[in-house]
Amino acid sequence: MWWPVLFSLLLVLCAWRALGIGMADWWARQNPEAALQWRPDHAEAALQAAEVAVYSDPRSEAVARWSRQAISSYPLDGRPYRLLADTAGMPVNLGKALHEIAAERSPRDYLSQAWVINAALQTRDFRRAVGMLDRMLRARPEIAHHLTPVLAGIASTPEAQPALADALAKNPPWREPRFGSIVEAASSGQALTPLMRELRARTGGVTPEEQAAWINRLLRDGQYGFAYLAWIESLSPKQQQRIGNVYDGGFELLPSGAAFEWHLQDVAGAQVERAWVEGGSGTASLRIVFDERSREFRHVAQTLLLAPGRYRFSGRDRMMGIDEGAGLEWVLSCVESGKQIAQSPRLWGQHDWQMFAVEFEVPAQACSGQRLVLRRPVVAVSSVSGVAAFDDLTIEKRYAPIVETARF
């Protein structure tokens, strides 16, 4: 019978075909020309041959030849169109069309997308550029850090900001992890003002974390007054009732992390919290519980914006078992120069609520912003235990001559 022989030949043919495919796949990236000897229509091998030729001469005939072979073998892959677009003698319009095909067919290929994005930016087609960036960031989030400078440039360009705001308003997956980096890489914090206003006008608005990132950038740029106004604009009517030279000096509101609000940080050896304390004003006071572990403490702070002039800082404290050598003090310093301009009396002991006060002067030079910090000096004893509570912190403008610090 002839069919066993035919069947054997078919098996041999299939085995040879499988071997050819396997060898071509094996050599495709290591030695593309060897892969093409096993399988001349291997699209990936032809593409890799073109990529190798690019390193020798991007505009060589070999690049064009291998790119065309790759397209012929698998026309749905955009990468060979990108390589072919830049070869010698390629007409400008045809090259542009090939780049467009490459970007459309290879959404994960960074170089294909980059060409189209750059072309859109050069023609100031910001809506298309943002759309392409959005697609790229969704397809390949691992390269987001490479695209951050481009996004920051768009965020700093007034004509481009509406398009970026529209994209961000859709809450793409890259918004939360990249927003802070975009703010940092922008040309300036002030340049982002129209973008932040655009975002606030969209559904969902601006998150507290995004607002804080922007305000902190303004502060780093030295734009203290502008940062303060931006912060006030972000506050709710309830929060605006707490505005003063010290914001929320009664610790009634939960801090959002913005620069001009309280920054309360837990630290080894101390638990920092807003809590009800007997005799305190309102529903909450600042309470710090120390547990005898050694630690310098400076983990309660707020940035202020005081105009030059004389002031009186006052508040109430309640001490429960704080030794004199472990006492706390409020210190006010200029942000720009670091110069200390006020220091409260050392607060310690075992007593119910008492008042403390200190008068000071804000200089006219190098003190546009100030930093109020509760600290336990490093020169204090090595460990501290007990509980300290604070409430009703205020700073009032003074016109009489400055007097010494006071406890009463």
Side-chain angles (χ1 to χ4, degrees), residues 17-18 53 56-58 64 69 83 89 99 101 107 126 215 225 256 275 288 297 299 348-349 356 390-391 401:
R17 178 66 173 171
S56 300
D57 182 359
Q69 185 166 335
L83 295 172
H99 276 297
I101 293 172
F126 297 114
I215 291 174
S256 71
I288 306 158
F297 182 82
H299 293 75
W348 60 281
F356 66 88
F390 297 91
D391 211 335

Side-chain angles (χ1 to χ4, degrees), residues 1-63:
M1 297 290 292
W2 57 267
W3 63 266
V5 176
L6 179 60
F7 184 70
S8 298
L9 289 174
L10 286 173
L11 287 178
V12 170
L13 180 62
C14 289
W16 179 254
R17 178 66 173 171
L19 177 63
I21 292 173
M23 293 302 295
D25 289 343
W26 171 263
W27 287 111
R29 290 186 176 276
Q30 303 176 57
N31 189 338
E33 293 195 19
L36 290 166
Q37 290 179 0
W38 283 96
R39 187 181 171 189
D41 63 345
H42 197 288
E44 185 64 28
L47 175 65
Q48 294 303 317
E51 294 276 16
V52 170
V54 163
Y55 286 102
S56 300
D57 182 359
R59 300 174 64 81
S60 70
E61 186 278 331
V63 176

Side-chain angles (χ1 to χ4, degrees), residues 44 63 68 84 95 108 157 162 166 171 185 193 199 208 236 244 264 271 275 321 345 347 349 379:
E44 185 64 28
V63 176
R68 288 191 177 94
L84 183 61
R108 294 181 57 85
T157 304
D166 286 341
N171 286 318
T193 303
L199 282 175
S236 67
L264 310 180
Q271 179 182 346
L347 307 171
V379 296

